[in-house]
Amino acid sequence: MTRTTTGAVTERFVLHRDPHPLRVATFAEDVRAGLEARPYQLSPKYFYDDLGSALFEAITRLPEYYLTRVERDLLATYGREIVGAFGEPIAIVELGSGSAAKTRLVLDAALERQRTLVYRPVDISADALIESSLALTAAYPALRVEAYAGDYFPMLRARRLASTDRVLALFLGSNVGNFEPPDARELLTLLASSLRPGDGLLIGYDLKKDRSILELAYDDPTGVTAAFNKNVLARMNRELGADFDLDAFRFRANWDDAGGAVRSYLVAERAQRVRIPLAEVKVDFSRGDAIHTESSYKFSRDEIVALASRSGYTERVTYTDAGGRYALSLLIVA
Ligand code: AVJ
């Protein structure tokens, strides 16, 4: 089945592909910029090719990675109350929908209150979007999916998500934690400008806690998170003709208390030269050189409410689990 940039995949599922899809050139440009920078860095968005998305699904099943389970329990407990806060039929927008597994709890709650529902997921991985949207439209006859494959920022700047519906936007999974604070603020502000006063944003975020719990969640003894990180080296080998030796790099994740984030790295185990022809870059790593692959910021409720008010929202309610590990805040566009 050929897919057009914007086109109906099925009768109730339309896929809009970002006019500037994530081209290899973009990947190559970002790799070149990141490996010519000091310290070396790569964007976590490049984790999510097919294998990366599957490895992330595996991470969400790890006993150490509590985020997904705790968030799912909060959605199961408070989903009805959250959609009930809007009193009228809603449409649902979601940033970073991934497999949309948790989203079903919100869709269920909404479809208990209204006959039909429009769901607008946005994700960097078109394949993940197509897979989840086909599964959702098969499972929910009253659901219509308008999916957007691409990067959040150009999508929001192009106001592709603006609509006349009462909208509940979802930003779950502590995905907000992947953005540097100024970028998180810009993203929430952009999203607010695509919504109308009175629309909602349900944001899920991981709370600050003991270093040992956080470092275990991001460096599990099974090695799944290490594989998730090393996959980006393998991806450069696959897509950019690089010659990374994955065994010559070690994964490391540390809690940075001052910065408020878990920082993930791939560390060179020995001095080595790596060539990445399609990015026109070669790197001479010294032993111990680190490539920063991801920051996962952790928050307090007050920090999220402060970020929200600076981005155009007021806090309606916040739910946390009994263990105080994770939170869901329902924000309203001011
Ligand atoms: C999907 C970005 C929320 O940072 O917790 C999981 C990705 N990285 N284990 C996170 C991730 C390492 C995850 N987010």
Side-chain angles (χ1 to χ4, degrees), residues 47-48 56 59 65 67 172-175 178 217-218 225 228-229 264 294-296 298:
F47 284 147
Y48 301 97
F56 177 63
I59 287 174
Y65 191 80
L67 291 76
L172 302 176
S174 203
N175 281 314
N178 255 177
Y218 286 85
T225 312
F228 177 63
N229 276 262
S264 298
E294 183 176 39
S295 287
S296 301
K298 307 300 170 183

Side-chain angles (χ1 to χ4, degrees), residues 29 34 50 53 56 65 79 121 134 181 200 233 257 261 263-264 272 295 313 333:
E29 285 151 18
D50 286 0
S53 296
F56 177 63
Y65 191 80
L134 288 173
L233 301 181
D257 198 49
R263 315 260 189 215
S264 298
Q272 56 199 291
S295 287
Y313 307 83
V333 177

